[in-house]
Amino acid sequence: MTKSLPPLSRREARRRDRRKAILDVASRSFMENGYAATTMSSIAATLGGSKGTLWSYFPCKEALFAAVLDDATTAYRARLAEILDPEGDLAGTLRTLGLNLLTKITSPESIALYRLVASESGRFPEMGAIFYQYAPGSTRRLIAEFLERAMDRGLLRRADPELAARTFAVLMLSGCHQSLVWGQIERATAEQIEADVEHGLDCFLRAYAPPAR
């Protein structure tokens, strides 16, 4: 039987709520104003507190940006861990993964974040590094672990699992995601997402098919 966690003290609850409020304000500021224009001072002013209070939670803008991304992706990483059943049907699991992944990254919020990072990471490489760590990097690590277990089961040919995960992700992103990024379409339909996943999955399984016995 799982033991329940002890209730938070009033002080701990206030600190948790304050941290969430900071992340909400920071997330809006990053998305609306960009990374360069977002400052710790402006966030503190919006919150109505001092910079000292803000710094007691986050020592710098880079740490705050990392926390925003971590907060935004925690639930999604947990969902991927549920999808990637190492004992399940390989093709079915990868299809579910592809549909879930492509639906997530073609959302308006994800496209806006992608464009933000693409436009500002040249001037702020730390921003690009943080984004990669919490978004595509963490997703690819989970996929690589799953693919390596599939290779161990003989369901895929033996190869570098990290490269295989990158190949899978690139194939999924090659269609409507690119059209959204470059403004060729306003939104991705369920039919477009499904078609991209089917095409990408077919290419991936052909490329990593196990040797004939």
Side-chain angles (χ1 to χ4, degrees):
M1 184 176 177
T2 304
K3 295 178 65 176
S4 60
L5 295 175
L8 294 176
S9 68
R10 219 179 295 181
R11 181 174 180 276
E12 290 170 331
R14 283 198 303 268
R15 186 167 178 83
R16 177 202 59 194
D17 293 343
R18 185 64 173 171
R19 185 179 188 276
K20 184 68 171 72
I22 292 171
L23 293 179
D24 288 344
V25 169
S27 178
R28 287 196 301 272
S29 183
F30 284 128
M31 296 305 297
E32 294 173 5
N33 305 319
Y35 185 80
T38 296
T39 66
M40 299 290 275
S41 297
S42 66
I43 291 171
T46 301
L47 287 164
S50 68
K51 286 191 289 185
T53 300
L54 177 58
W55 284 333
S56 72
Y57 287 85
F58 303 102
C60 61
K61 184 165 72 171
E62 291 88 345
L64 180 54
F65 185 65
V68 166
L69 285 179
D70 187 38
D71 184 64
T73 57
T74 294
Y76 183 64
R77 291 196 299 270
R79 174 60 181 145
L80 284 186
E82 291 177 0
I83 290 172
L84 296 173
D85 178 7
E87 303 302 323
D89 171 68
L90 176 64
T93 299
L94 289 178
R95 183 174 290 103
T96 301
L97 168 65
L99 290 170
N100 190 274
L101 175 64
L102 199 51
T103 299
K104 173 70 174 178
I105 63 176
T106 56
S107 69
E109 298 79 11
S110 294
I111 293 297
L113 178 59
Y114 184 96
R115 287 172 173 162
L116 170 67
V117 174
S119 67
E120 297 200 51
S121 58
R123 288 183 297 156
F124 302 99
E126 71 279 5
M127 177 199 190
I130 292 168
F131 173 76
Y132 182 83
Q133 176 186 349
Y134 286 99
S138 64
T139 297
R140 289 182 189 179
R141 282 191 294 275
L142 285 171
I143 296 173
E145 291 170 4
F146 171 79
L147 295 178
E148 185 170 25
R149 289 193 291 267
M151 292 171 189
D152 292 340
R153 294 168 64 195
L155 301 178
L156 297 172
R157 68 174 175 83
R158 179 63 60 186
D160 181 340
E162 293 186 5
L163 179 57
R166 188 177 75 188
T167 301
F168 179 85
V170 168
L171 286 168
M172 294 298 130
L173 273 61
S174 65
C176 61
H177 178 263
Q178 291 296 295
S179 297
L180 282 166
V181 168
W182 302 118
Q184 301 304 299
I185 58 175
E186 293 186 2
R187 67 182 184 89
T189 66
E191 292 76 16
Q192 287 171 317
I193 289 173
E194 186 172 349
D196 284 353
V197 170
E198 290 301 327
H199 173 71
L201 183 58
D202 180 64
C203 292
F204 180 82
L205 292 177
R206 288 174 185 271
Y208 286 91
R213 296 181 179 178

Coordinates of all heavy atoms in Angstrom, one line a residue, residues 22 25 30 41 76 83 113 117 133 139 141 143 171 173-174 179 191 195 202 210:
I22 N 5.0 32.7 -9.9 CA 6.2 33.2 -10.6 C 6.4 32.5 -11.9 O 6.6 33.2 -12.9 CB 7.5 33.0 -9.7 CG1 7.5 33.9 -8.5 CG2 8.8 33.3 -10.5 CD1 8.6 33.5 -7.5
V25 N 3.7 33.9 -14.5 CA 4.1 35.2 -15.0 C 5.3 35.1 -15.9 O 5.3 35.7 -17.0 CB 4.4 36.2 -13.8 CG1 5.0 37.5 -14.3 CG2 3.1 36.4 -13.0
F30 N 7.9 35.3 -21.3 CA 8.8 34.8 -22.3 C 8.1 34.6 -23.6 O 8.7 34.9 -24.7 CB 9.3 33.4 -21.8 CG 10.4 33.4 -20.8 CD1 10.3 32.7 -19.6 CD2 11.6 34.2 -20.9 CE1 11.3 32.8 -18.6 CE2 12.6 34.3 -20.0 CZ 12.4 33.5 -18.8
S41 N 13.6 42.0 -13.2 CA 13.0 43.2 -12.7 C 11.6 43.3 -13.2 O 10.7 43.6 -12.4 CB 13.8 44.4 -13.1 OG 15.1 44.4 -12.6
Y76 N 4.1 15.8 -19.5 CA 4.3 15.2 -20.8 C 5.3 14.0 -20.7 O 5.1 13.0 -21.3 CB 4.7 16.2 -21.9 CG 4.8 15.6 -23.3 CD1 3.7 15.1 -23.9 CD2 6.0 15.5 -23.9 CE1 3.7 14.5 -25.1 CE2 6.1 14.9 -25.2 CZ 5.0 14.4 -25.8 OH 5.1 13.8 -27.0
I83 N 3.3 5.6 -22.2 CA 3.1 5.1 -23.6 C 4.1 4.0 -24.0 O 3.8 3.0 -24.6 CB 3.1 6.2 -24.6 CG1 1.9 7.1 -24.4 CG2 3.2 5.7 -26.0 CD1 1.9 8.4 -25.2
L113 N 6.6 28.4 -28.9 CA 7.9 28.3 -28.2 C 9.0 27.9 -29.1 O 10.2 28.4 -29.0 CB 7.7 27.2 -27.1 CG 8.9 26.8 -26.3 CD1 9.4 28.1 -25.5 CD2 8.6 25.7 -25.3
V117 N 12.5 30.1 -29.5 CA 13.9 29.6 -29.3 C 14.7 29.7 -30.6 O 15.9 30.1 -30.5 CB 13.8 28.1 -28.8 CG1 15.2 27.5 -28.7 CG2 13.1 28.0 -27.5
Q133 N 17.5 20.5 -23.5 CA 17.6 19.6 -22.3 C 16.2 19.2 -21.9 O 15.9 18.0 -21.6 CB 18.3 20.3 -21.1 CG 18.3 19.5 -19.9 CD 18.9 20.2 -18.7 OE1 19.5 21.3 -18.8 NE2 18.7 19.6 -17.5
T139 N 12.8 14.0 -24.4 CA 11.9 13.1 -25.2 C 12.8 12.1 -25.9 O 12.4 10.9 -25.9 CB 11.1 13.9 -26.2 OG1 10.3 14.8 -25.5 CG2 10.2 13.0 -27.1
R141 N 15.7 11.0 -25.2 CA 16.3 10.0 -24.3 C 15.3 8.9 -23.9 O 15.7 7.7 -23.8 CB 16.8 10.7 -23.0 CG 18.1 11.5 -23.2 CD 18.7 11.9 -21.9 NE 17.8 12.9 -21.2 CZ 17.9 14.3 -21.5 NH1 18.7 14.7 -22.4 NH2 17.1 15.1 -20.9
I143 N 12.8 7.9 -25.7 CA 12.6 7.1 -26.9 C 13.8 6.2 -27.1 O 13.6 5.0 -27.5 CB 12.3 8.0 -28.2 CG1 11.0 8.8 -28.0 CG2 12.2 7.1 -29.4 CD1 10.8 9.8 -29.1
L171 N 11.6 12.1 -38.6 CA 10.5 11.6 -39.5 C 9.2 12.1 -39.1 O 8.3 12.4 -40.0 CB 10.6 10.0 -39.6 CG 11.7 9.4 -40.3 CD1 11.8 7.9 -40.1 CD2 11.6 9.7 -41.8
L173 N 8.5 14.8 -37.6 CA 8.4 16.3 -37.7 C 8.6 16.8 -39.1 O 8.5 18.0 -39.4 CB 9.6 16.9 -36.9 CG 9.3 17.2 -35.4 CD1 9.0 16.0 -34.6 CD2 10.4 18.0 -34.8
S174 N 8.7 15.9 -40.1 CA 9.0 16.3 -41.5 C 7.8 16.8 -42.3 O 8.1 17.4 -43.3 CB 9.7 15.1 -42.2 OG 8.7 14.1 -42.4
S179 N 5.4 22.7 -41.9 CA 4.5 23.6 -42.5 C 4.0 24.6 -41.5 O 3.8 25.8 -41.9 CB 3.3 22.8 -43.1 OG 3.7 21.9 -44.2
E191 N -6.2 14.5 -39.5 CA -5.9 13.7 -40.7 C -4.4 13.9 -41.2 O -3.7 12.9 -41.5 CB -6.8 14.0 -41.9 CG -8.3 13.6 -41.7 CD -9.0 14.5 -40.7 OE1 -8.5 15.7 -40.4 OE2 -10.1 14.1 -40.2
A195 N -1.5 11.0 -41.1 CA -0.8 10.7 -42.3 C 0.7 10.8 -42.1 O 1.5 10.0 -42.6 CB -1.2 11.6 -43.5
D202 N 6.3 4.0 -41.3 CA 6.7 3.0 -42.3 C 8.2 3.2 -42.7 O 8.9 2.2 -42.8 CB 5.8 3.3 -43.5 CG 6.1 2.4 -44.7 OD1 5.9 1.2 -44.6 OD2 6.6 2.9 -45.8
P210 N 14.7 -5.8 -38.4 CA 15.8 -6.8 -38.0 C 16.2 -7.6 -39.1 O 15.4 -7.8 -40.1 CB 15.1 -7.6 -36.9 CG 13.6 -7.5 -37.2 CD 13.4 -6.1 -37.8

